[in-house]
Amino acid sequence: MTDAAPPLARSTLDRAAHRRTDPAWLAGAWSRGRTLVVDVAAGGRALVRDGDRPALVLLPAAEAPPVPEAARLFLGVEPDGGPVFAVVAELPAVTGARPAGLREVGHLLTDRDAGLLTTAVALANWHAGHGYSPVTGRPTTVDEGGWSRVDDTGHRIWPRTDPAMIVLVHDGVGGPDGRCLLGSNAAWSGQPGGRRFSCLAGYVEPGESAEAAVVREVAEEVGVPVDRVEYVASQSWPFPGSLMLGFRAVADPAGPVRVDPAEISHALWFSRREISRALAGEPVPVDDGIVLVLPPPLSIAFHLIRHWLEWDD
């Protein structure tokens, strides 16, 4: 079974949180550090260079777009001791580099680059949506190396992520005939000749555990009872700010599937044999002239499906 981490759960960075409240250290670190430029207006794109795999372009502070000192987002310290910052700005022109988003290249990046870009996009998205205090309603400014915002009364807020569960529902059967239940979200736009199916997912509600959310969401979306809920892995999903908690759970494929049409347009059981064929690029029919399309490699849904594919009860 694969023991690789989900694509956006990889990092080599020491976040060095104790440095966030040390303005003198941050000022010195900026002058000797590396800077990742993120363009939030362009969907969180950064500069990459192509080679055997895409690689992030980090600029010396002197070459980074000018931003106020407080707007320098301190990401952490690399294993070689070098500090890394992110700034939110229009991407500069750099010879041999191109803009790319996390959705496009996140799964192709090294562990180091995946961790840097995921953190930078998540942090930048949080700042973009918190210009005012939710308590006082007053404007906030960036503080603590980018890890908090504060208003003129001293009220401080910190970055938060929304917990969401995602589950691979399966029949508990090993081998090629074992099956999993995947759904097609009603909000997804179609693509010529294909329909995307993925794991079932939803936000964890107040006062609810992640495991309870798995049972509730599956029942709400496809009307299927599940048990044997098991945690697999998690990853950030900074679009704009979720933490995806990945599970698998067992259900009886002989039972009826009743989709909530407001959430799910189609839900079908697929065998390991069919999933393997789809991963190999072979057409797997799901409807007249329509074939199965699996979730993108960046997603934890793809990770859960691969995890199940290699797992034998």
Side-chain angles (χ1 to χ4, degrees):
M1 182 190 303
T2 180
D3 57 0
L8 300 188
R10 299 173 296 134
S11 182
T12 62
L13 193 69
D14 175 3
R15 297 194 171 207
H18 62 291
R19 297 295 193 185
R20 298 171 185 172
T21 54
D22 187 341
W25 185 90
L26 290 172
W30 169 260
S31 62
R32 59 186 173 85
R34 308 168 182 125
T35 305
L36 175 62
V37 184
V38 177
D39 190 343
V40 172
R45 289 177 173 266
L47 292 175
V48 300
R49 286 193 174 94
D50 293 312
D52 292 337
R53 64 196 305 179
L56 288 182
V57 174
L58 273 67
L59 302 175
E63 299 176 17
V67 297
E69 184 174 343
R72 303 167 184 168
L73 310 180
F74 173 60
L75 300 183
V77 177
E78 297 208 74
D80 65 1
V84 183
F85 292 79
V87 297
V88 178
E90 184 176 345
L91 298 180
V94 174
T95 302
R98 66 177 177 89
L102 193 58
R103 292 179 188 268
E104 176 189 351
V105 300
H107 61 294
L108 302 174
L109 297 172
T110 63
D111 291 357
R112 176 255 199 181
D113 283 3
L116 286 175
L117 187 54
T118 302
T119 302
V121 171
L123 199 55
N125 282 340
W126 179 78
H127 281 289
H130 290 80
Y132 294 85
S133 167
V135 175
T136 67
R138 301 183 70 83
T140 59
T141 56
V142 183
D143 199 17
E144 296 184 329
W147 289 92
S148 73
R149 296 184 71 96
V150 63
D151 68 16
D152 57 6
T153 71
H155 185 268
R156 189 176 299 275
I157 54 176
W158 291 268
R160 292 290 183 269
T161 56
D162 297 319
M165 73 83 212
I166 183 166
V167 59
L168 191 285
V169 177
H170 65 98
D171 62 0
V173 175
D177 293 324
R179 291 187 284 174
C180 69
L181 177 63
L182 303 179
S184 184
N185 194 296
W188 289 340
S189 58
Q191 49 190 290
R195 180 177 297 128
R196 178 154 55 104
F197 282 80
S198 187
C199 301
L200 302 173
Y203 286 105
V204 179
E205 294 185 344
E208 184 178 49
S209 70
E211 292 81 359
V214 168
V215 176
R216 174 184 56 78
E217 284 283 352
V218 175
E220 289 177 357
E221 293 189 349
V222 294
V224 173
V226 297
D227 59 13
R228 289 170 56 188
V229 177
E230 298 176 312
Y231 174 77
V232 177
S234 67
Q235 77 169 18
S236 172
W237 192 247
F239 306 110
S242 299
L243 175 65
M244 304 301 299
L245 306 169
F247 293 85
R248 67 183 184 211
V250 175
D252 182 359
V257 175
R258 301 186 181 92
V259 301
D260 174 2
E263 296 280 347
I264 303 294
S265 64
H266 301 78
L268 296 172
W269 287 91
F270 296 94
S271 69
R272 278 194 182 86
R273 187 178 287 104
E274 290 173 314
I275 295 296
S276 295
R277 286 171 50 204
L279 283 173
E282 299 176 24
V284 175
V286 296
D287 206 343
D288 185 23
I290 302 296
V291 300
L292 168 65
V293 176
L294 291 174
L298 180 71
S299 67
I300 192 171
F302 187 87
H303 178 84
L304 291 172
I305 291 170
R306 287 292 300 268
H307 189 273
W308 168 79
L309 191 66
E310 300 172 15
W311 167 76
D312 202 321
D313 213 0

